[in-house]
Amino acid sequence: MALLWKVVGRSDSRQLTVEGPFSFEPFPNAAASGYLEVVDECNSPWKFKYKVSGNKRILSGQWDVFRRSNKVQDGDEVAIRNNDVWGPQADYLIEVIRGGSN
């Protein structure tokens, strides 16, 4: 189950902004430190700047590099979930679902 997900759009080229409402903070350690560490499907580590702004969660920093490296297109879905599958480098994994889940 994804803790955070979004269908990527044009406005997400430099940063990924996910709007709530959130009944709980999905990444409390990231909210405190300002960074969210994840691994992708190739087990590559990524460190995003993480900002909480009201009902928004904003990923920036390496987001634009991640988007280019993983060929994330508008309409693709990005999901971040607990990492119980892909190695011990990070507590969370990020997955790209091509063309969304439809």
Side-chain angles (χ1 to χ4, degrees):
M1 178 178 195
L3 298 169
L4 194 76
W5 67 271
K6 181 178 182 186
V7 175
V8 176
R10 284 187 191 162
S11 63
D12 297 312
S13 62
R14 296 191 192 270
Q15 65 183 26
L16 181 71
T17 302
V18 182
E19 294 193 41
F22 295 93
S23 57
F24 64 94
E25 173 53 52
F27 311 108
N29 290 341
S33 72
Y35 291 95
L36 177 65
E37 295 184 39
V38 299
V39 292
D40 66 16
E41 295 147 305
C42 296
N43 213 20
S44 298
W46 297 93
K47 187 174 183 177
F48 300 123
K49 288 182 182 178
Y50 184 79
K51 181 179 176 185
V52 175
S53 178
N55 68 341
K56 296 179 183 176
R57 302 303 182 263
I58 302 165
L59 300 178
S60 60
Q62 289 188 331
W63 167 252
D64 59 337
V65 178
F66 170 84
R67 185 172 176 169
R68 286 191 308 268
S69 294
N70 285 273
K71 298 179 174 72
V72 178
Q73 301 292 319
D74 292 352
D76 289 345
E77 185 175 313
V78 174
I80 300 175
R81 61 188 87 240
N82 285 319
N83 182 13
D84 53 6
V85 180
W86 296 332
Q89 290 106 326
D91 290 333
Y92 305 104
L93 58 90
I94 187 166
E95 180 180 11
V96 178
I97 300 136
R98 304 292 170 195
S101 58
N102 296 332

